[in-house]
Amino acid sequence: KNVKMLMPFQIAMKHDGYLKRYAETRVKHVINSTREVDGQHKNGRVFKVEISVREVEREDGQPPIFVAYLVDLTEKIERARMTQLTSATKTSCPMPLIVMDDMGYVLEFNSAAEDMWRYRADEVIGQNIKMLMPEEIAVNHDGYLAAYRRTGKKNVIGGERVVDAQCKDGSKIPIRIYVGEAKHEGMRPIFLGYLVDIRQEQSDMRSAALDDAVRGMATFPIITMNDIGTILSVNHAVVQEFGYIEEELRGENIKMLMPSEIAVNHDEYLRNYKIKRVRKVIGNARRVPAQRKNGTRVMCEIRVDEVFDGDGNSIYIGFLRNITSQLELEQSHRINTLVQELSAVPMLAIDSKGTVLRFNNAAERTWGHARDEVMGKNIKMLMAEP
């Protein structure tokens, strides 16, 4: 068959002309060169190939034969794209972001994390993450990781908690931390932590809860309700986020802002809390889906605080934050990290002093070293003696 069957239409339609022109002029544009072109798979998929064409003259005087050597560039291009995407995500992420391995050694530390802890990335990468914690937390961290490696039981992974971080100057700041895990069969897990300095947030929330005027100007949605779920007030950010006007919400049950599968249990949650006073949502942050007036859903981070009016009745104040973009970013980064670990190409990274910062599974297979034998060590250990 004609080789055009392996080309996209827009290239194939010109190919006979290329051959005819070469036969007439003998001017070589492609022959004896290497270039990137598009190929077309049997299923119609177009992909990049690197092609080198050579001409073989025939002794019998017949027209020459052309031999082409091709390399499928799909994997190479995808690796480059994922590397660029990972780097861009890490650099541009406005939230402090830390990636560590299952032994607690820091693999990535973005610029927002540098700003929070006041360490440079090269001071942290390759070190144990305990250096970023107060002593009373750090002393138990290796044990937590060892227990997870042994049992697989998740206490922090996949959830959120509020803890103290310790800066380079020794000062402590309260942060909210979300820890996710990226792992695949045969791979050692990697843990991704997104962090939020909540000092200002806590201050803002207290002020907003006490002052209706401030509440009205807040950029994040705030809702107050009584102990049976009746909405007492909403700020302008709620109106913007959910698409209702204020009059449609006041006096109605908070369930109208929830998907049906959550709303059906909400009254029971309130009754149980009034009886047992066990705080599962009150005073804690959690991620839940909310539902707008038009029926669309949005993932929100919600924190509910309890205050009391002059008669001692409970008033619940809910602070909400749309985290849709944040979740997409978290998912993208987990996928990027996982793709790097799944790569068949050995990948390692070092700092300006030669300290190994990254060492993927393919590198382990190539050198025969486990990651924890190499991370934090000088790359010279992987080189032959002169």
Side-chain angles (χ1 to χ4, degrees):
K1 301 294 177 65
N2 194 289
V3 74
K4 293 185 293 185
M5 68 183 289
L6 305 179
M7 306 173 187
F9 175 75
Q10 63 271 24
I11 298 177
M13 66 185 295
K14 301 176 182 178
H15 194 259
D16 288 343
Y18 296 152
L19 292 176
K20 181 180 178 181
R21 201 156 43 245
Y22 177 65
E24 294 172 350
T25 66
R26 304 297 292 174
V27 176
K28 296 179 178 180
H29 294 289
V30 178
I31 297 168
N32 294 337
S33 67
T34 299
R35 61 173 58 190
E36 290 186 12
V37 297
D38 289 336
Q40 183 165 302
H41 194 273
K42 182 179 180 179
N43 63 13
R45 177 177 61 88
V46 176
F47 59 99
K48 287 290 184 183
V49 296
E50 182 179 83
I51 182 170
S52 299
V53 180
R54 299 294 183 268
E55 182 180 16
V56 179
E57 298 288 349
R58 298 170 67 174
E59 296 179 356
D60 58 5
Q62 295 296 315
I65 293 174
F66 301 101
V67 180
Y69 301 88
L70 299 97
V71 177
D72 185 344
L73 297 176
T74 303
E75 183 177 344
K76 177 182 177 182
I77 292 171
E78 181 61 16
R79 280 201 310 271
R81 189 186 74 82
M82 295 306 296
T83 299
Q84 291 173 346
L85 182 59
T86 298
S87 177
T89 300
K90 181 180 69 173
T91 302
S92 63
C93 178
M95 298 176 62
L97 181 153
I98 302 175
V99 180
M100 73 174 190
D101 64 16
D102 62 344
M103 301 299 292
Y105 289 100
V106 177
L107 306 177
E108 296 186 15
F109 193 75
N110 75 346
S111 59
E114 290 181 314
D115 293 340
M116 176 179 284
W117 271 276
R118 296 189 282 280
Y119 282 105
R120 299 190 313 275
D122 61 3
E123 295 178 285
V124 178
I125 293 173
Q127 303 299 317
N128 195 290
I129 197 168
K130 293 185 295 184
M131 69 183 289
L132 306 177
M133 307 172 186
E135 178 62 27
E136 63 272 17
I137 298 176
V139 69
N140 296 312
H141 195 258
D142 285 343
Y144 296 149
L145 288 175
Y148 178 67
R149 292 195 301 271
R150 186 174 63 253
T151 67
K153 183 179 179 181
K154 297 181 178 181
N155 292 318
V156 179
I157 298 166
E160 289 184 358
R161 63 173 51 191
V162 174
V163 296
D164 283 339
Q166 183 164 301
C167 300
K168 185 176 182 178
D169 62 5
S171 62
K172 298 178 183 179
I173 56 175
I175 60 172
R176 180 186 298 112
I177 179 170
Y178 169 81
V179 180
E181 180 182 21
K183 67 178 181 179
H184 189 75
E185 185 176 356
M187 288 176 48
R188 295 171 58 180
I190 289 177
F191 302 103
L192 175 72
Y194 288 97
L195 308 104
V196 179
D197 180 344
I198 61 173
R199 289 175 298 178
Q200 188 61 46
E201 178 184 327
Q202 289 177 341
S203 176
D204 289 345
M205 285 183 174
R206 292 190 190 100
S207 297
L210 295 174
D211 190 341
D212 285 339
V214 173
R215 227 177 24 240
M217 293 185 291
T219 58
F220 49 87
I222 302 174
I223 303 173
T224 62
M225 70 179 189
N226 63 17
D227 60 358
I228 61 171
T230 302
I231 296 173
L232 304 177
S233 67
V234 299
N235 70 342
H236 185 63
V238 173
V239 173
Q240 290 183 312
E241 183 65 62
F242 289 92
Y244 291 97
I245 62 174
E246 187 173 348
E247 289 73 20
E248 291 178 295
L249 295 170
R250 250 196 333 259
E252 299 297 326
N253 195 287
I254 191 76
K255 293 185 292 184
M256 69 187 292
L257 302 179
M258 306 174 186
S260 58
E261 66 272 16
I262 296 177
V264 68
N265 297 312
H266 194 258
D267 289 342
E268 184 178 353
Y269 295 155
L270 289 175
R271 285 194 296 270
N272 286 340
Y273 177 68
K274 287 175 66 175
I275 295 170
K276 300 178 181 179
R277 305 299 293 177
V278 176
R279 291 173 174 252
K280 293 185 177 180
V281 178
I282 308 298
N284 296 308
R286 62 170 54 191
R287 295 178 172 186
V288 295
Q291 185 165 300
R292 298 185 174 109
K293 183 178 181 179
N294 63 10
T296 59
R297 298 188 179 195
V298 58
M299 284 301 297
C300 291
E301 179 186 83
I302 180 170
R303 176 184 173 91
V304 180
D305 288 334
E306 182 180 18
V307 297
F308 299 93
D309 64 17
D311 298 323
N313 299 312
S314 294
I315 301 294
Y316 301 105
I317 307 171
F319 305 88
L320 295 86
R321 182 166 64 94
N322 186 331
I323 58 171
T324 303
S325 297
Q326 177 182 332
L327 292 176
E328 292 173 351
L329 184 61
E330 292 171 5
Q331 177 68 11
S332 174
H333 192 86
R334 284 195 292 269
I335 292 172
N336 293 343
T337 302
L338 187 60
V339 167
Q340 290 182 22
E341 283 303 306
L342 288 172
S343 172
V345 177
M347 297 174 65
L348 56 85
I350 62 172
D351 64 15
S352 59
K353 298 178 182 178
T355 305
V356 178
L357 309 178
R358 176 174 294 186
F359 196 75
N360 73 348
N361 289 335
E364 287 185 320
R365 293 191 295 271
T366 299
W367 273 278
H369 286 287
R371 182 182 286 117
D372 57 357
E373 295 174 330
V374 178
M375 295 293 295
K377 306 292 179 58
N378 195 285
I379 195 173
K380 291 186 291 186
M381 69 180 290
L382 306 178
M383 302 175 184
E385 293 291 334

